[in-house]
Amino acid sequence: MSIRHTVADLRREYRQHQLDEASLHPDAIQQFERWFQEAVQAQVAEPNAMSLATVREGRPSARIVLLKNFDEQGFVFFTNYSSRKSRELAPDAWAALTFWWPELERQVRIEGRTRQVSAEESDTYFQSRDRGSRIGAWASPQSEPIGSRAELEQRVQEAAGRFADQEYIPRPPHWGGYRVHPEWIEFWQGRPSRLHDRIVYTRQPDGAWLAGRLAP
């Protein structure tokens, strides 16, 4: 059997849960928090892993990043401000996030505008990271060509030497956080026969959320 036929035959029936309007929280962020906590309780592997999709001059790109905070203002992740993703996240640029929690047969999709978080917020998170990660942020020219692994490791050694006598490692000026301010959030619950439940929240001009159902 060809691999293409094997791939085409891969399928799974989703039967664990259902999603109806009566069970929803009226606030989309509160609904996300409810589902996120259930993903943690279900021991989903890295429940905060999310696909971040950006676009530049009509050319999309996506990668997995880690959610580090969320609140009514939005969803926060951290990165190198010189990376490709950051170059594509110009002020007020739109971005999309996707969470996939297979253990619960659930997906969450988020779309919104992005802005850098405050320097204070980036500083606080940076100091919570382990020492190796803080040194790595200084050493890695993220998204830039590099000759070899040995070259990267040499850069790490040099950065480690620079801060060898310092307990406090300052945040690099080229490193910090972004917040995706959501305008649209979809909660997707897998159901049998591909007749999935899809509920979308759209932010209204007054800041409230309006929820409605989409066909699968």
Side-chain angles (χ1 to χ4, degrees):
M1 180 182 295
S2 75
I3 186 63
R4 284 177 293 178
H5 288 160
T6 301
V7 171
D9 289 338
L10 290 173
R11 57 177 53 88
R12 170 182 165 186
E13 282 288 277
Y14 299 130
R15 300 182 180 277
Q16 289 192 46
H17 304 284
Q18 64 183 35
L19 180 62
D20 57 57
E21 290 80 351
S23 68
L24 293 173
H25 195 287
D27 184 277
I29 304 301
Q30 294 297 317
Q31 179 64 34
F32 178 85
E33 182 173 13
R34 180 183 294 172
W35 268 26
F36 188 82
Q37 290 299 328
E38 290 176 6
V40 172
Q41 292 166 6
Q43 299 185 329
V44 171
E46 294 199 275
N48 61 328
M50 59 188 184
S51 172
L52 166 67
T54 55
V55 65
R56 186 179 184 184
E57 297 177 351
R59 183 171 179 173
S61 60
R63 75 289 288 160
I64 302 298
V65 299
L66 296 178
L67 177 71
K68 288 302 178 179
N69 188 28
F70 68 91
D71 55 25
E72 292 298 326
Q73 297 301 310
F75 300 82
V76 177
F77 65 94
F78 293 86
T79 188
N80 187 310
Y81 284 148
S82 300
S83 65
R84 175 180 174 179
K85 71 175 78 66
S86 293
R87 294 195 297 269
E88 295 170 346
L89 290 174
D92 275 346
W94 282 85
L97 307 173
T98 303
F99 294 85
W100 169 234
W101 299 320
E103 292 86 346
L104 296 173
E105 301 171 350
R106 287 175 176 171
Q107 176 180 220
V108 181
R109 298 171 57 213
I110 300 164
E111 296 177 6
R113 294 187 181 275
T114 58
R115 298 184 183 91
Q116 289 185 8
V117 305
S118 68
E120 292 76 13
E121 188 171 351
S122 290
D123 287 341
T124 298
Y125 175 69
F126 188 76
Q127 294 307 320
S128 76
R129 305 178 93 206
D130 65 80
R131 185 177 182 85
S133 295
R134 283 178 282 159
I135 288 173
W138 280 98
S140 175
Q142 192 175 111
S143 298
E144 296 300 321
I146 192 167
S148 65
R149 179 74 188 187
E151 180 180 338
L152 175 62
E153 292 174 352
Q154 178 62 35
R155 293 177 66 98
V156 171
Q157 290 180 10
E158 292 171 356
R162 176 181 174 184
F163 298 110
D165 298 326
Q166 298 178 217
E167 179 65 28
Y168 176 81
I169 300 175
R171 175 178 62 89
H174 59 261
W175 192 97
Y178 285 96
R179 177 174 281 105
V180 178
H181 297 267
E183 298 288 338
W184 183 97
I185 302 180
E186 177 186 329
F187 295 87
W188 180 101
Q189 177 65 65
R191 297 295 301 277
S193 302
R194 298 301 185 259
L195 296 175
H196 312 303
D197 288 326
R198 299 176 62 191
I199 303 293
V200 167
Y201 289 78
T202 305
R203 192 185 291 276
Q204 303 303 293
D206 64 357
W209 291 97
L210 179 65
R213 179 174 290 269
L214 297 180

